[in-house]
Amino acid sequence: MNIPICRTRQELFDITSEWRQRGHKLAVVPTMGALHAGHLSLVEAAAQHADKVIVTLFVNPKQFDNSEDLEAYPDTERSDAKKLAPLGVELLYIPDISEIYPPGFSTTVTIGGFSDSLCGAGREGHFDGVATVVTKLLLQTQAHYAMFGEKDYQQLQLVQRLVLDLDLPVTIVPCPTVRESDGLAMSSRNVHLQPADRAIAPHFYKTLQSLALQIREGEDIHTSVAKAQSALESAGFSSVEYIEIRRNNDLSPISGISPTSKTNSVTNKDGVACTLCASALELKLENYRVLAAVWLGDTRLIDNLPLA
Ligand code: AMP
């Protein structure tokens, strides 16, 4: 059976308002299309939370800082609809650009704090673009639940902040990262990897896993991060954009050390200098995760995982 598609706010409103009047719970899964098993896991989670699932497909020009990257983004509407059909999705919202950014559109949603670091550093306006389109999609669909993947961990945290700050009446549901059997996090960009690069790519996750293990075992944090960076470079990644340990909920760096500091000792509570290991810093490892972005040729990969 074909899933109904709507392309205007009005059509979306007509269908969803009837559902709401009948007392249904709605969940939305915002995507940029080119769907893979990671996206489909969000759809399955949505069906567990709500009785009406809406998937949105919208390649948001405002979150691309590079027009070539935007043009290269695959347009896969038909195959996406086919993948969603068996999952009980009741509506596909594929808005025309003017439904999101009508002529004269001049509002930008900016989330302060951690928008400019990690994936936001060097990609000017990226998270403003994300925050603006997510706000619009949440308001247009008026869903009770919205599913977001932990794969894009910084985006997930920003969306949680946005919903809290703007009192948006929606519950954000975080969904775990779905990986290929060799550990590579699924991504629409993986299709761009040349075979040689595809063979290197699984080292990304493996390196993050061993970094987390070393920190759990009490190794100095700076040394472990530096070793992980060299391991990635030796494995053949073209460059490491960032690799950092940050707090889960607000992505703040570990207090007492700056991500760029070269010193690897700190004074503990007894005034004794010690290495920057988790126990000396009295870190609760479950509150922290490692986040990283790397390049393989022209393809950018991101991943993250909890330290404990
Ligand atoms: P995108 O189409 O890349 O904007 O992603 C749409 C949603 O799917 C976002 O919430 C992503 O975090 C989520 N997502 C993408 N890849 C994965 C994955 N491998 N596992 C879980 N969620 C994912």
Side-chain angles (χ1 to χ4, degrees), residues 66-275:
N66 170 331
S67 59
E68 282 167 27
D69 196 18
L70 172 62
E71 277 155 29
Y73 212 85
D75 175 4
T76 51
E77 182 179 314
R78 245 192 222 188
S79 62
D80 288 344
K82 254 196 201 158
K83 289 177 193 161
L84 294 170
L87 301 181
V89 172
E90 301 238 7
L91 191 59
L92 257 180
Y93 180 43
I94 311 181
D96 296 331
I97 184 101
S98 60
E99 296 295 314
I100 302 290
Y101 303 119
F105 186 84
S106 25
T107 299
T108 299
V109 180
T110 298
I111 305 166
F114 47 93
S115 285
D116 296 336
S117 66
L118 306 172
C119 287
R123 297 172 89 202
E124 218 191 318
H126 169 70
F127 283 119
D128 286 358
V130 171
T132 305
V133 80
V134 167
T135 305
K136 295 214 58 156
L137 291 171
L138 295 178
L139 291 172
Q140 290 187 358
T141 57
Q142 295 182 45
H144 301 88
Y145 299 96
M147 326 309 283
F148 284 87
E150 288 183 348
K151 152 87 180 3
D152 300 276
Y153 197 81
Q154 187 176 10
Q155 169 176 283
L156 167 66
Q157 294 309 311
L158 285 164
V159 170
Q160 305 259 38
R161 187 73 251 166
L162 164 80
V163 164
L164 208 65
D165 288 353
L166 298 184
D167 306 316
L168 298 182
V170 59
T171 301
I172 302 300
V173 181
C175 300
T177 302
V178 176
R179 299 178 181 280
E180 303 286 357
S181 55
D182 59 12
L184 176 65
M186 290 191 181
S187 163
S188 312
R189 292 171 200 263
N190 293 352
V191 294
H192 299 307
L193 292 171
Q194 300 300 321
D197 287 343
R198 180 62 189 81
I200 295 170
H203 290 286
F204 189 18
Y205 179 52
K206 289 194 185 100
T207 306
L208 298 190
Q209 278 181 311
S210 48
L211 167 59
L213 179 68
Q214 280 172 23
I215 295 177
R216 277 200 298 279
E217 286 178 344
E219 296 267 332
D220 173 86
I221 293 174
H222 268 321
T223 312
S224 308
V225 171
K227 268 199 223 159
Q229 169 144 2
S230 323
L232 289 166
E233 286 159 359
S234 319
F237 289 91
S238 323
S239 66
V240 178
E241 189 178 300
Y242 68 81
I243 175 162
E244 290 192 28
I245 310 295
R246 295 278 180 123
R247 213 179 154 82
N248 285 329
N249 57 356
D250 59 5
L251 294 179
S252 56
I254 297 170
S255 59
I257 51 174
S258 94
T260 50
S261 155
K262 295 272 181 280
T263 349
N264 62 346
S265 79
V266 68
T267 308
N268 74 7
K269 62 180 177 355
D270 304 318
V272 177
C274 56
T275 57

